mmCIF file of all heavy atoms in Angstrom:
data_model
loop_
_atom_site.group_PDB
_atom_site.id
_atom_site.type_symbol
_atom_site.label_atom_id
_atom_site.label_comp_id
_atom_site.label_asym_id
_atom_site.label_seq_id
_atom_site.Cartn_x
_atom_site.Cartn_y
_atom_site.Cartn_z
ATOM 1 N N PHE W 1 -2.744 3.505 -3.566
ATOM 2 C CA PHE W 1 -2.591 2.523 -4.619
ATOM 3 C C PHE W 1 -1.743 3.146 -5.720
ATOM 4 O O PHE W 1 -1.539 4.358 -5.749
ATOM 5 C CB PHE W 1 -3.950 2.102 -5.187
ATOM 6 C CG PHE W 1 -4.788 1.290 -4.242
ATOM 7 C CD1 PHE W 1 -5.420 1.877 -3.161
ATOM 8 C CD2 PHE W 1 -4.949 -0.072 -4.449
ATOM 9 C CE1 PHE W 1 -6.195 1.125 -2.294
ATOM 10 C CE2 PHE W 1 -5.718 -0.835 -3.586
ATOM 11 C CZ PHE W 1 -6.341 -0.232 -2.509
ATOM 12 N N ARG W 2 -1.267 2.315 -6.629
ATOM 13 C CA ARG W 2 -0.516 2.840 -7.765
ATOM 14 C C ARG W 2 -0.744 1.984 -8.995
ATOM 15 O O ARG W 2 -1.081 0.812 -8.897
ATOM 16 C CB ARG W 2 0.980 2.929 -7.450
ATOM 17 C CG ARG W 2 1.672 1.582 -7.290
ATOM 18 C CD ARG W 2 3.120 1.777 -6.868
ATOM 19 N NE ARG W 2 3.838 0.522 -6.744
ATOM 20 C CZ ARG W 2 5.074 0.396 -6.277
ATOM 21 N NH1 ARG W 2 5.735 1.477 -5.876
ATOM 22 N NH2 ARG W 2 5.653 -0.798 -6.202
ATOM 23 N N GLN W 3 -0.537 2.590 -10.149
ATOM 24 C CA GLN W 3 -0.672 1.884 -11.406
ATOM 25 C C GLN W 3 0.467 2.292 -12.333
ATOM 26 O O GLN W 3 0.526 3.441 -12.778
ATOM 27 C CB GLN W 3 -2.019 2.171 -12.063
ATOM 28 C CG GLN W 3 -2.281 1.355 -13.315
ATOM 29 C CD GLN W 3 -3.723 1.464 -13.775
ATOM 30 O OE1 GLN W 3 -4.471 2.311 -13.305
ATOM 31 N NE2 GLN W 3 -4.107 0.594 -14.682
ATOM 32 N N GLY W 4 1.381 1.363 -12.602
ATOM 33 C CA GLY W 4 2.494 1.614 -13.489
ATOM 34 C C GLY W 4 2.107 1.392 -14.938
ATOM 35 O O GLY W 4 1.041 0.857 -15.239
ATOM 36 N N PRO W 5 2.978 1.785 -15.870
ATOM 37 C CA PRO W 5 2.703 1.623 -17.305
ATOM 38 C C PRO W 5 2.441 0.160 -17.666
ATOM 39 O O PRO W 5 3.253 -0.714 -17.364
ATOM 40 C CB PRO W 5 3.981 2.127 -17.970
ATOM 41 C CG PRO W 5 4.599 3.045 -16.955
ATOM 42 C CD PRO W 5 4.280 2.424 -15.627
ATOM 43 N N GLY W 6 1.312 -0.109 -18.288
ATOM 44 C CA GLY W 6 0.968 -1.457 -18.704
ATOM 45 C C GLY W 6 0.633 -2.412 -17.581
ATOM 46 O O GLY W 6 0.565 -3.629 -17.810
ATOM 47 N N LYS W 7 0.416 -1.906 -16.391
ATOM 48 C CA LYS W 7 0.125 -2.752 -15.240
ATOM 49 C C LYS W 7 -1.247 -2.452 -14.648
ATOM 50 O O LYS W 7 -1.838 -1.407 -14.917
ATOM 51 C CB LYS W 7 1.187 -2.568 -14.153
ATOM 52 C CG LYS W 7 2.601 -2.945 -14.566
ATOM 53 C CD LYS W 7 3.573 -2.737 -13.411
ATOM 54 C CE LYS W 7 4.984 -3.125 -13.795
ATOM 55 N NZ LYS W 7 5.931 -2.922 -12.668
ATOM 56 N N GLU W 8 -1.725 -3.392 -13.839
ATOM 57 C CA GLU W 8 -2.969 -3.183 -13.115
ATOM 58 C C GLU W 8 -2.715 -2.352 -11.864
ATOM 59 O O GLU W 8 -1.597 -2.305 -11.350
ATOM 60 C CB GLU W 8 -3.588 -4.520 -12.722
ATOM 61 C CG GLU W 8 -3.954 -5.419 -13.890
ATOM 62 C CD GLU W 8 -5.053 -4.833 -14.739
ATOM 63 O OE1 GLU W 8 -5.971 -4.192 -14.181
ATOM 64 O OE2 GLU W 8 -4.998 -5.007 -15.969
ATOM 65 N N ARG W 9 -3.746 -1.712 -11.379
ATOM 66 C CA ARG W 9 -3.623 -0.948 -10.148
ATOM 67 C C ARG W 9 -3.340 -1.896 -8.978
ATOM 68 O O ARG W 9 -3.974 -2.944 -8.857
ATOM 69 C CB ARG W 9 -4.903 -0.155 -9.887
ATOM 70 C CG ARG W 9 -4.800 0.813 -8.719
ATOM 71 C CD ARG W 9 -6.031 1.715 -8.632
ATOM 72 N NE ARG W 9 -6.176 2.537 -9.820
ATOM 73 C CZ ARG W 9 -7.101 3.486 -9.963
ATOM 74 N NH1 ARG W 9 -7.961 3.728 -8.976
ATOM 75 N NH2 ARG W 9 -7.172 4.179 -11.090
ATOM 76 N N GLU W 10 -2.393 -1.524 -8.119
ATOM 77 C CA GLU W 10 -2.002 -2.373 -7.018
ATOM 78 C C GLU W 10 -1.982 -1.609 -5.702
ATOM 79 O O GLU W 10 -1.759 -0.401 -5.660
ATOM 80 C CB GLU W 10 -0.623 -3.000 -7.265
ATOM 81 C CG GLU W 10 0.514 -1.988 -7.326
ATOM 82 C CD GLU W 10 1.879 -2.633 -7.504
ATOM 83 O OE1 GLU W 10 1.975 -3.874 -7.428
ATOM 84 O OE2 GLU W 10 2.863 -1.888 -7.726
ATOM 85 N N PHE W 11 -2.179 -2.334 -4.624
ATOM 86 C CA PHE W 11 -2.145 -1.776 -3.284
ATOM 87 C C PHE W 11 -0.730 -1.402 -2.883
ATOM 88 O O PHE W 11 0.221 -2.128 -3.181
ATOM 89 C CB PHE W 11 -2.712 -2.793 -2.293
ATOM 90 C CG PHE W 11 -2.485 -2.442 -0.852
ATOM 91 C CD1 PHE W 11 -3.277 -1.500 -0.220
ATOM 92 C CD2 PHE W 11 -1.480 -3.055 -0.128
ATOM 93 C CE1 PHE W 11 -3.078 -1.171 1.111
ATOM 94 C CE2 PHE W 11 -1.267 -2.742 1.200
ATOM 95 C CZ PHE W 11 -2.074 -1.790 1.820
ATOM 96 N N VAL W 12 -0.575 -0.271 -2.190
ATOM 97 C CA VAL W 12 0.724 0.185 -1.716
ATOM 98 C C VAL W 12 0.778 0.226 -0.192
ATOM 99 O O VAL W 12 1.644 -0.389 0.425
ATOM 100 C CB VAL W 12 1.082 1.569 -2.280
ATOM 101 C CG1 VAL W 12 2.404 2.063 -1.693
ATOM 102 C CG2 VAL W 12 1.162 1.521 -3.805
ATOM 103 N N ALA W 13 -0.147 0.963 0.428
ATOM 104 C CA ALA W 13 -0.135 1.124 1.877
ATOM 105 C C ALA W 13 -1.494 1.592 2.358
ATOM 106 O O ALA W 13 -2.251 2.201 1.607
ATOM 107 C CB ALA W 13 0.941 2.124 2.308
ATOM 108 N N SER W 14 -1.809 1.319 3.629
ATOM 109 C CA SER W 14 -3.065 1.777 4.202
ATOM 110 C C SER W 14 -2.896 2.151 5.665
ATOM 111 O O SER W 14 -1.991 1.659 6.345
ATOM 112 C CB SER W 14 -4.168 0.723 4.053
ATOM 113 O OG SER W 14 -3.864 -0.445 4.799
ATOM 114 N N HIS W 15 -3.783 3.008 6.142
ATOM 115 C CA HIS W 15 -3.797 3.468 7.523
ATOM 116 C C HIS W 15 -5.218 3.305 8.031
ATOM 117 O O HIS W 15 -6.128 3.991 7.573
ATOM 118 C CB HIS W 15 -3.349 4.926 7.597
ATOM 119 C CG HIS W 15 -3.207 5.449 8.994
ATOM 120 N ND1 HIS W 15 -4.276 5.821 9.771
ATOM 121 C CD2 HIS W 15 -2.096 5.683 9.741
ATOM 122 C CE1 HIS W 15 -3.843 6.252 10.946
ATOM 123 N NE2 HIS W 15 -2.531 6.182 10.951
ATOM 124 N N VAL W 16 -5.418 2.386 8.984
ATOM 125 C CA VAL W 16 -6.750 2.063 9.489
ATOM 126 C C VAL W 16 -7.199 3.120 10.490
ATOM 127 O O VAL W 16 -6.458 3.466 11.411
ATOM 128 C CB VAL W 16 -6.764 0.672 10.140
ATOM 129 C CG1 VAL W 16 -8.153 0.352 10.692
ATOM 130 C CG2 VAL W 16 -6.333 -0.381 9.132
ATOM 131 N N HIS W 17 -8.425 3.599 10.332
ATOM 132 C CA HIS W 17 -8.897 4.712 11.151
ATOM 133 C C HIS W 17 -9.104 4.356 12.615
ATOM 134 O O HIS W 17 -8.944 5.200 13.484
ATOM 135 C CB HIS W 17 -10.204 5.261 10.563
ATOM 136 C CG HIS W 17 -11.373 4.331 10.707
ATOM 137 N ND1 HIS W 17 -11.559 3.242 9.897
ATOM 138 C CD2 HIS W 17 -12.418 4.349 11.575
ATOM 139 C CE1 HIS W 17 -12.668 2.613 10.247
ATOM 140 N NE2 HIS W 17 -13.206 3.265 11.262
ATOM 141 N N LYS W 18 -9.471 3.105 12.912
ATOM 142 C CA LYS W 18 -9.822 2.714 14.278
ATOM 143 C C LYS W 18 -8.658 2.799 15.246
ATOM 144 O O LYS W 18 -8.793 3.368 16.330
ATOM 145 C CB LYS W 18 -10.395 1.299 14.295
ATOM 146 C CG LYS W 18 -11.814 1.193 13.790
ATOM 147 C CD LYS W 18 -12.363 -0.197 14.056
ATOM 148 C CE LYS W 18 -13.825 -0.285 13.686
ATOM 149 N NZ LYS W 18 -14.377 -1.635 14.003
ATOM 150 N N ASP W 19 -7.534 2.233 14.881
ATOM 151 C CA ASP W 19 -6.420 2.133 15.814
ATOM 152 C C ASP W 19 -5.090 2.624 15.256
ATOM 153 O O ASP W 19 -4.067 2.516 15.928
ATOM 154 C CB ASP W 19 -6.263 0.696 16.302
ATOM 155 C CG ASP W 19 -6.065 -0.300 15.176
ATOM 156 O OD1 ASP W 19 -5.937 0.127 14.016
ATOM 157 O OD2 ASP W 19 -6.037 -1.510 15.457
ATOM 158 N N GLY W 20 -5.087 3.126 14.046
ATOM 159 C CA GLY W 20 -3.869 3.624 13.446
ATOM 160 C C GLY W 20 -2.963 2.553 12.881
ATOM 161 O O GLY W 20 -1.806 2.843 12.555
ATOM 162 N N SER W 21 -3.459 1.327 12.764
ATOM 163 C CA SER W 21 -2.658 0.253 12.188
ATOM 164 C C SER W 21 -2.294 0.575 10.752
ATOM 165 O O SER W 21 -3.080 1.187 10.020
ATOM 166 C CB SER W 21 -3.417 -1.073 12.237
ATOM 167 O OG SER W 21 -3.694 -1.448 13.573
ATOM 168 N N THR W 22 -1.108 0.150 10.352
ATOM 169 C CA THR W 22 -0.649 0.381 8.989
ATOM 170 C C THR W 22 -0.286 -0.927 8.317
ATOM 171 O O THR W 22 0.145 -1.884 8.970
ATOM 172 C CB THR W 22 0.564 1.320 8.956
ATOM 173 O OG1 THR W 22 1.624 0.763 9.749
ATOM 174 C CG2 THR W 22 0.196 2.691 9.511
ATOM 175 N N TYR W 23 -0.455 -0.964 7.001
ATOM 176 C CA TYR W 23 -0.145 -2.139 6.205
ATOM 177 C C TYR W 23 0.571 -1.697 4.940
ATOM 178 O O TYR W 23 0.289 -0.630 4.399
ATOM 179 C CB TYR W 23 -1.420 -2.911 5.852
ATOM 180 C CG TYR W 23 -2.179 -3.393 7.059
ATOM 181 C CD1 TYR W 23 -3.148 -2.595 7.659
ATOM 182 C CD2 TYR W 23 -1.908 -4.638 7.616
ATOM 183 C CE1 TYR W 23 -3.827 -3.026 8.783
ATOM 184 C CE2 TYR W 23 -2.582 -5.076 8.741
ATOM 185 C CZ TYR W 23 -3.547 -4.264 9.317
ATOM 186 O OH TYR W 23 -4.219 -4.698 10.437
ATOM 187 N N TYR W 24 1.490 -2.538 4.485
ATOM 188 C CA TYR W 24 2.294 -2.209 3.320
ATOM 189 C C TYR W 24 2.427 -3.393 2.385
ATOM 190 O O TYR W 24 2.467 -4.548 2.818
ATOM 191 C CB TYR W 24 3.699 -1.772 3.736
ATOM 192 C CG TYR W 24 3.732 -0.535 4.598
ATOM 193 C CD1 TYR W 24 3.695 -0.632 5.982
ATOM 194 C CD2 TYR W 24 3.813 0.725 4.019
ATOM 195 C CE1 TYR W 24 3.724 0.505 6.775
ATOM 196 C CE2 TYR W 24 3.842 1.864 4.803
ATOM 197 C CZ TYR W 24 3.799 1.745 6.186
ATOM 198 O OH TYR W 24 3.831 2.875 6.963
ATOM 199 N N ALA W 25 2.509 -3.095 1.103
ATOM 200 C CA ALA W 25 2.859 -4.116 0.138
ATOM 201 C C ALA W 25 4.311 -4.530 0.358
ATOM 202 O O ALA W 25 5.142 -3.725 0.771
ATOM 203 C CB ALA W 25 2.676 -3.590 -1.286
ATOM 204 N N ASP W 26 4.616 -5.797 0.087
ATOM 205 C CA ASP W 26 5.975 -6.291 0.292
ATOM 206 C C ASP W 26 7.010 -5.482 -0.497
ATOM 207 O O ASP W 26 8.144 -5.299 -0.035
ATOM 208 C CB ASP W 26 6.071 -7.763 -0.113
ATOM 209 C CG ASP W 26 5.367 -8.682 0.864
ATOM 210 O OD1 ASP W 26 5.126 -8.263 2.012
ATOM 211 O OD2 ASP W 26 5.063 -9.826 0.480
ATOM 212 N N SER W 27 6.629 -5.000 -1.644
ATOM 213 C CA SER W 27 7.548 -4.289 -2.515
ATOM 214 C C SER W 27 8.008 -2.941 -1.961
ATOM 215 O O SER W 27 9.021 -2.400 -2.413
ATOM 216 C CB SER W 27 6.923 -4.080 -3.896
ATOM 217 O OG SER W 27 5.725 -3.339 -3.803
ATOM 218 N N VAL W 28 7.279 -2.397 -0.977
ATOM 219 C CA VAL W 28 7.624 -1.076 -0.446
ATOM 220 C C VAL W 28 7.966 -1.095 1.036
ATOM 221 O O VAL W 28 8.347 -0.052 1.584
ATOM 222 C CB VAL W 28 6.499 -0.056 -0.700
ATOM 223 C CG1 VAL W 28 6.133 -0.006 -2.174
ATOM 224 C CG2 VAL W 28 5.270 -0.370 0.151
ATOM 225 N N LYS W 29 7.870 -2.234 1.694
ATOM 226 C CA LYS W 29 8.180 -2.320 3.120
ATOM 227 C C LYS W 29 9.612 -1.875 3.390
ATOM 228 O O LYS W 29 10.534 -2.270 2.697
ATOM 229 C CB LYS W 29 7.977 -3.745 3.627
ATOM 230 C CG LYS W 29 6.535 -4.153 3.795
ATOM 231 C CD LYS W 29 6.423 -5.571 4.340
ATOM 232 C CE LYS W 29 4.973 -5.977 4.528
ATOM 233 N NZ LYS W 29 4.846 -7.369 5.020
ATOM 234 N N GLY W 30 9.767 -1.048 4.414
ATOM 235 C CA GLY W 30 11.076 -0.540 4.771
ATOM 236 C C GLY W 30 11.481 0.702 4.013
ATOM 237 O O GLY W 30 12.476 1.344 4.372
ATOM 238 N N ARG W 31 10.744 1.044 2.966
ATOM 239 C CA ARG W 31 11.057 2.227 2.163
ATOM 240 C C ARG W 31 9.979 3.299 2.236
ATOM 241 O O ARG W 31 10.286 4.488 2.214
ATOM 242 C CB ARG W 31 11.287 1.839 0.706
ATOM 243 C CG ARG W 31 12.430 0.856 0.495
ATOM 244 C CD ARG W 31 12.745 0.678 -0.986
ATOM 245 N NE ARG W 31 11.600 0.136 -1.727
ATOM 246 C CZ ARG W 31 11.018 0.748 -2.752
ATOM 247 N NH1 ARG W 31 11.457 1.933 -3.167
ATOM 248 N NH2 ARG W 31 9.990 0.178 -3.377
ATOM 249 N N PHE W 32 8.714 2.887 2.302
ATOM 250 C CA PHE W 32 7.590 3.822 2.327
ATOM 251 C C PHE W 32 6.966 3.860 3.717
ATOM 252 O O PHE W 32 6.934 2.842 4.426
ATOM 253 C CB PHE W 32 6.512 3.410 1.327
ATOM 254 C CG PHE W 32 6.897 3.547 -0.124
ATOM 255 C CD1 PHE W 32 8.197 3.827 -0.510
ATOM 256 C CD2 PHE W 32 5.931 3.394 -1.108
ATOM 257 C CE1 PHE W 32 8.544 3.951 -1.847
ATOM 258 C CE2 PHE W 32 6.258 3.517 -2.449
ATOM 259 C CZ PHE W 32 7.563 3.796 -2.819
#
């Protein structure tokens, strides 16, 4: 997760333990 200046904490990316699935926020897809 991340929290920028004056902003709320937001989700960035996750890695699920069961099967290794990954998820990304739209703002970082293709970059992170």
Side-chain angles (χ1 to χ4, degrees):
F1 291 74
R2 68 185 182 186
Q3 186 169 12
K7 298 181 179 180
E8 299 295 324
R9 188 172 298 185
E10 65 177 352
F11 169 79
V12 176
S14 65
H15 185 282
V16 179
H17 70 282
K18 284 189 174 182
D19 57 6
S21 298
T22 58
Y23 300 89
Y24 298 91
D26 288 341
S27 59
V28 306
K29 285 182 179 178
R31 300 189 299 121
F32 291 9

